[in-house]
Amino acid sequence: MEAAATDCLFLEINLISAQGLQPPGGNRRLQAYAIIWIDSYVKLRTLVDRVGGENPTWNDKFLFRVHPSFLADDSPCAYSVEIYAAGGWYLPDSLVGSVRFLVGNLRLLSRHSDRPVFDAVGIRRPSGRFQGVLNVGAAVLGSVPAVAARALAIRPAIGYRSLMSEGGGPKAKKRRPLRERNKASSSSSASSVASSDEERAAVDADAAFCGPCVLGFPRRLHPARNLDRVPWATESSSSQPSPPWTAEIPRS
């Protein structure tokens, strides 16, 4: 769907990668993600890079619906990016650095549509010192898919990943929390143990035992349907032969 020049423009920003980020303290490996926004009420984020360390790669693209005056060469408008280090299960996410980039410096209105412009921007740490570089790409799109146009008619910005999930694209399988998985596993184990106990009780009800045992507990050797094969199971207790181990040992 095409965008009219007098109405709005579709700005695509690609957060490609970053280099030379400050690693977190505590001997933790840096697992970074980025948050981008033009309007602070609508913030979008990338996935967490778990292998790049201080040099993460995201290559996530985002679409913004903007007015043509936003892209003017003398426009003071900008987009902001914040880079965070994922804290994991127990630690909070910590801010690594931030970027505020003037879109007018790219002179996108004087370029052909759908042709991206790439740039590298310095990353400012929370202390105010610059460390690291953020690699970005930007382009003005002449047209976008219909699903993207419908999404941008509702909200001013959207990410390509969420757009694919809403448009019927492949969705990542949502995993249940670890606590729920452990609870389900323990309940299934308890039910399997209970069922095995019931089966064992049912078998014991139809079992015949081999008589006295020197170990102090009976041993199940023969099921009840084979009682006719056990000589002392059908005869009276008086006619049962004495086992050899019960014979008295003569004293000297």
Side-chain angles (χ1 to χ4, degrees):
M1 180 178 294
E2 297 182 357
T6 58
D7 185 14
C8 65
L9 295 176
F10 298 124
L11 173 64
E12 180 190 81
I13 297 179
N14 183 10
L15 297 182
I16 304 173
S17 62
Q19 284 96 30
L21 299 181
Q22 175 68 22
N27 296 326
R28 290 191 296 126
R29 180 178 178 82
L30 178 61
Q31 298 179 352
Y33 66 91
I35 296 178
I36 183 173
W37 72 89
I38 292 178
D39 185 353
S40 59
Y41 290 100
V42 183
K43 295 184 177 182
L44 307 172
R45 60 168 290 175
T46 66
L47 294 179
V48 179
D49 187 325
R50 303 189 182 279
V51 297
E54 291 79 14
N55 304 304
T57 300
W58 303 294
N59 199 27
D60 277 352
K61 296 181 179 181
F62 306 93
L63 280 175
F64 298 88
R65 188 184 74 248
V66 298
H67 194 268
S69 60
F70 181 87
L71 304 176
D73 296 347
D74 56 349
S75 173
C77 300
Y79 65 85
S80 302
V81 179
E82 288 182 346
I83 302 175
Y84 287 87
W89 287 93
Y90 306 103
L91 299 177
D93 298 350
S94 57
L95 179 63
V96 177
S98 59
V99 171
R100 187 174 185 272
F101 190 80
L102 294 175
V103 184
N105 293 340
L106 298 176
R107 303 182 182 275
L108 294 174
L109 293 180
S110 60
R111 301 177 183 271
H112 296 283
S113 60
D114 300 331
R115 290 187 179 182
V117 179
F118 301 97
D119 202 350
V121 191
I123 301 173
R124 185 187 295 271
R125 293 183 55 191
S127 62
R129 186 169 60 91
F130 284 92
Q131 179 177 350
V133 175
L134 176 65
N135 301 312
V136 298
V140 176
L141 303 182
S143 62
V144 295
V147 61
R150 289 194 297 267
L152 291 174
I154 302 174
R155 48 188 180 270
I158 191 173
Y160 270 93
R161 293 186 184 275
S162 59
L163 187 64
M164 290 177 59
S165 61
E166 293 179 3
K171 298 182 180 180
K173 184 178 180 181
K174 185 177 180 181
R175 300 187 62 184
R176 293 183 299 170
L178 181 61
R179 183 178 301 175
E180 295 182 4
R181 298 201 302 269
N182 291 339
K183 185 177 180 180
S185 177
S186 61
S187 62
S188 62
S189 300
S191 61
S192 62
V193 170
S195 61
S196 61
D197 291 342
E198 293 177 358
E199 295 176 358
R200 189 179 298 108
V203 174
D204 291 342
D206 296 335
F209 299 97
C210 65
C213 180
V214 295
L215 298 180
F217 54 89
R219 294 179 297 171
R220 185 178 71 250
L221 295 181
H222 311 286
R225 59 179 178 272
N226 295 329
L227 286 177
D228 53 345
R229 301 181 183 179
V230 184
W232 57 79
T234 55
E235 301 177 359
S236 61
S237 58
S238 59
S239 61
Q240 291 182 3
S242 299
W245 57 78
T246 58
E248 295 185 359
I249 301 176
R251 295 181 181 182
S252 58

